[in-house]
């Protein structure tokens, strides 16, 4: 069980992700976001539970649904919102948008518009860290849609044969856009696939932040200790549409969505903290108010930020050296 | 000066860079104890061990994507493809990730990855072991594309590639790998984007790439006996492309033929032609001509294979035709 301070930090981090995502959804409706916006609402426990164990020099590689990973890894809501607004103060200085959030200074090595490569790149980070004899680790977050891609097979095999310090976190939210995972996987138990590669693997409730925290903690300790990679399947659900502005019907039932909303990771954790007297209602309310204000400030910062200068468009194709 | 083969020259550059920089490692199939199918890493496994000379499964997409992640996190991978054709299984990792990473991250990530492989037609290698494909990569922003033609250039350009923070494709024509040539001792680098004038002349300009350089020089030797003076330019790097040297030469000669084994449509010759028309139109005394390998998959049978690659006699005839314009 984490210390009290850590328990509250987990709560605060999930709220940062939730409030930022809800702000982004509103901003999308107002036309302030120019491209795609895939929110992480409902899945906050996973990024939070994993990244709580990571240092700034650990490397995270993420997906198209990656705002939560960036925030949990230490990118500020200001830099995330500004990036989606296309402003020069965004974490990718307006060159990336939602699916290309980069802040290597805190180990956020990119969200991605392509499903799969993050698995290989996290494997490569593991290779670097092993070669450099450091105790850093590489972490890949990816959805169920990635595990039937060749990158999953090749990446897990390479990480296994060289015992790389890499953690593979599958966020199984049951749908690849609208294609059910139950339809597209011959073996729908991702958490059972590790042994096929000679690797530890397990399944956890991805809507239970403490379960994720515990499983990730053990796997990360093994990776840092040279004991190799782990695959963790986190069962979860996105409660908003695949992307903002998309229809969200025809492939899942309202009853299913409501059932998962009843398992909301933040509401559940709030209840757990109160029940176990880890925090009183005032403490939690104070955290909620503080985070709300931070996100409101971030939105204002983003909205008032300058656009990138058009004459910088050709910079950074190659290194400046 | 001492002579080395192409392979020995790049091996010398790789060895000295690896001795100096512990973040350099090599991956590929059979590049460990075996020393590489084309002897590209002979002796290095014993010196630097299995983590820095890392034999891989046949998993091209996997290890290329992995090396992208490694390059983002403080090491300098060298991917040895053996045959460059095998790179195509990793095309998405190259185009969507490796080429774009520096830009996507607004320059805060570097992509110091060297991708090498043997290209070109010959020895009945047939169509899965004969590709060159460099015009495809030159088309995309983010790649450095190197196609050397002599061992001394190979060594200097390889040394530059090992110091570059950009992704570099280093492509060695199979027919050149065991050619010998004079190679300076010690470490030296040759900058990208600087063509080499392989032969000076006044009557026409020939731009020749990779294995076509020697064949073009042989054609020029024969023509010289008749008093015809040709200038031969070896671009050495396709991206960046040194157009200044080409334009200066065309200014002098007024005639241009581009000789390239790779396909003609949308190729390097098309790009060079367009730039010369754009920037040197008034210097031209004749239409620009291109001589390329045939636009077909590579056939196996020697008679068919010979039919698709430009040879010295054909180059000679093309020069005569151009001079007759």
């Amino acid at each position: 069980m984490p210390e009290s301070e850590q328990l509250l930090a987990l709560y605060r981090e999930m709220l940062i992700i939730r409030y930022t995502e809800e702000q982004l959804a509103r901003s999308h409706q107002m036309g302030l976001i120019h491209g795609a916006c895939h929110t992480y609402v409902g899945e906050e426990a996973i990024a939070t539970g994993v990244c709580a164990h990571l240092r700034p020099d650990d490397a995270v590689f993420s997906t198209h649904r990656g705002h939560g990973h960036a925030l949990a890894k230490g990118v500020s809501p200001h830099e995330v919102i500004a990036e989606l607004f296309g402003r020069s103060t965004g974490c990718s200085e307006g060159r990336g948008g939602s699916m290309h959030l980069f802040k290597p200074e805190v180990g956020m090595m990119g969200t991605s518009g392509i499903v799969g490569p993050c698995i290989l790149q996290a494997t490569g980070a593991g290779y670097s860290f092993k070669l450099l004899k450091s105790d850093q680790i590489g972490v890949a977050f990816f959805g169920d849609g990635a595990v039937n891609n060749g990158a999953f097979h090749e990446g897990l095999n390479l990480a296994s044969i060289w015992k790389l310090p890499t953690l593979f976190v599958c966020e199984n939210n049951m749908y690849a856009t609208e294609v059910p995972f139950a339809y597209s996987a011959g073996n729908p138990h991702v958490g059972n696939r590790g042994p096929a590669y000679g690797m530890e693997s397990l399944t956890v409730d991805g809507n239970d932040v403490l379960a994720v925290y515990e499983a990730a903690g053990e796997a990360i300790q093994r990776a840092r200790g040279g004991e190799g990679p782990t695959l963790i399947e986190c069962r979860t659900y996105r409660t908003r549409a695949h992307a903002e502005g998309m229809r969200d019907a025809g492939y899942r039932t309202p009853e299913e969505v409501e059932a998962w909303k009843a398992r909301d990771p933040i509401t559940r954790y709030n209840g757990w903290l109160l029940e176990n007297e880890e925090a009183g209602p005032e403490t939690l309310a104070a955290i909620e108010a503080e985070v709300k204000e931070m996100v409101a400030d971030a939105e204002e910062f983003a909205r008032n930020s300058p656009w990138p200068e058009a004459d910088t468009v050709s910079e950074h194709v190659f290194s400046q050296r | 000066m001492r002579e080395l083969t192409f392979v020995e020259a790049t091996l010398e550059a790789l060895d000295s860079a690896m001795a100096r920089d512990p973040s350099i490692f090599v991956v590929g199939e059979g590049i460990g104890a075996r020393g590489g199918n084309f002897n590209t890493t002979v002796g290095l496994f014993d010196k630097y061990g299995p983590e820095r000379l890392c034999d891989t499964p046949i998993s091209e997409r996997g290890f290329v994507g992995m090396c992208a992640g490694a390059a983002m996190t403080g090491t300098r991978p060298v991917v040895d493809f053996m045959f460059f054709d095998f790179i195509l299984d990793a095309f998405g990792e190259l185009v969507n990730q490796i080429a774009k990473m520096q830009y996507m991250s607004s320059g805060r990530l570097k992509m110091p990855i060297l991708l090498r492989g043997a290209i070109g037609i010959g020895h009945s290698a047939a169509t899965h072991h004969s590709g060159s494909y460099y015009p495809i990569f030159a088309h995309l922003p983010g790649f450095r594309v190197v196609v050397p033609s002599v061992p001394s250039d190979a060594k200097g350009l390889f040394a530059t590639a090992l110091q570059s923070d950009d992704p570099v494709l280093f492509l060695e024509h199979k027919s050149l790998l065991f050619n010998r040539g004079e190679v300076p001792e010690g470490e030296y680098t040759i900058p990208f984007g600087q063509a080499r004038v392989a032969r000076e002349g006044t009557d026409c300009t020939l731009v020749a790439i990779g294995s076509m350089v020697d064949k073009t020089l042989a054609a020029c030797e024969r023509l010289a006996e008749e008093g015809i003076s040709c200038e031969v330019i070896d671009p050495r790097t396709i991206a960046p492309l040194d157009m200044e040297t080409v334009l200066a030469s065309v200014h002098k000669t007024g005639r241009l033929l581009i000789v390239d084994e790779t396909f003609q449509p949308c190729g390097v010759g098309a790009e060079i032609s367009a730039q010369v028309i754009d920037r040197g139109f008034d210097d031209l005394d004749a239409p620009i001509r291109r001589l390329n390998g045939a636009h077909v998959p590579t056939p196996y049978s020697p008679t068919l294979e010979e039919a698709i690659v430009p040879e010295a006699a054909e180059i000679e005839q093309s020069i005569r035709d151009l001079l007759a314009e």
Side-chain angles (χ1 to χ4, degrees), chain B residues 178-200:
Chain B
F178 298 98
N179 281 6
R180 303 187 80 81
E182 291 188 345
V183 177
E185 309 260 358
E187 292 189 54
Y188 62 94
T189 57
I190 295 172
F192 293 162
Q194 205 174 87
R196 177 174 65 95
V197 178
R199 178 191 180 95
E200 291 191 13

Side-chain angles (χ1 to χ4, degrees), chain B residues 58-270:
Chain B
I58 302 171
S59 191
E60 273 77 11
R61 183 186 176 193
F63 60 70
V64 170
M66 182 190 92
C67 286
M72 293 159 74
T73 50
T75 50
R76 304 183 73 92
V78 176
V79 183
D80 190 329
F81 282 99
M82 184 173 8
F83 291 92
F84 188 62
D85 306 72
F86 304 158
I87 202 170
L88 298 180
D89 277 9
F91 199 60
E93 305 306 320
L94 284 154
V95 177
N96 263 325
Q97 309 296 326
I98 288 169
K100 297 175 180 174
M101 196 59 72
Q102 297 190 86
Y103 193 79
M104 292 190 293
S105 67
S106 61
R108 287 171 299 163
L109 286 171
K110 303 296 175 210
M111 192 41 75
I113 180 170
L114 198 170
L115 305 129
R116 74 182 306 187
I119 61 170
I121 299 166
H123 312 291
S124 285
T127 200
H128 286 168
H129 295 76
S130 300
S132 291
Y133 304 113
Y134 46 80
I136 299 174
F137 294 98
H139 176 70
L140 300 160
F143 288 119
R144 307 293 192 190
V145 183
V146 184
V147 189
S149 70
V150 292
S152 56
D153 282 356
K155 181 179 171 184
L157 291 163
F158 203 75
T160 303
L162 286 164
Q163 292 173 15
S164 172
D165 282 338
D166 301 320
V168 179
L169 297 165
F170 192 90
L171 310 178
E172 306 147 282
H173 198 287
K174 286 193 288 292
S175 70
L176 302 177
L177 286 176
F178 298 98
N179 281 6
R180 303 187 80 81
E182 291 188 345
V183 177
E185 309 260 358
E187 292 189 54
Y188 62 94
T189 57
I190 295 172
F192 293 162
Q194 205 174 87
R196 177 174 65 95
V197 178
R199 178 191 180 95
E200 291 191 13
T202 53
D203 295 336
C204 78
T205 300
L206 305 164
V207 175
I209 297 166
S211 63
M212 292 296 119
V213 174
D214 278 352
K215 292 180 181 183
T216 301
L217 286 170
C220 294
E221 282 297 316
R222 287 209 283 270
L223 291 164
E225 290 163 14
E226 299 170 26
I228 296 169
S229 165
C230 299
E231 183 145 300
V232 179
I233 296 171
D234 170 6
R236 302 196 288 199
T237 61
I238 305 302
L241 187 59
D242 176 7
M243 281 306 301
E244 302 312 317
T245 298
V246 176
L247 286 161
S249 179
V250 171
H251 181 71
K252 182 169 64 176
T253 66
R255 284 177 159 78
L256 175 61
L257 170 70
I258 302 135
V259 188
D260 181 14
E261 187 186 278
T262 62
F263 305 130
Q264 193 168 87
C266 305
V268 179

Side-chain angles (χ1 to χ4, degrees), chain A residues 173-189:
Chain A
N173 67 13
M174 296 169 54
Y175 298 92
T177 308
E178 296 190 2
V179 178
F181 188 58
Y183 162 84
S184 54
N187 167 10
H189 301 288

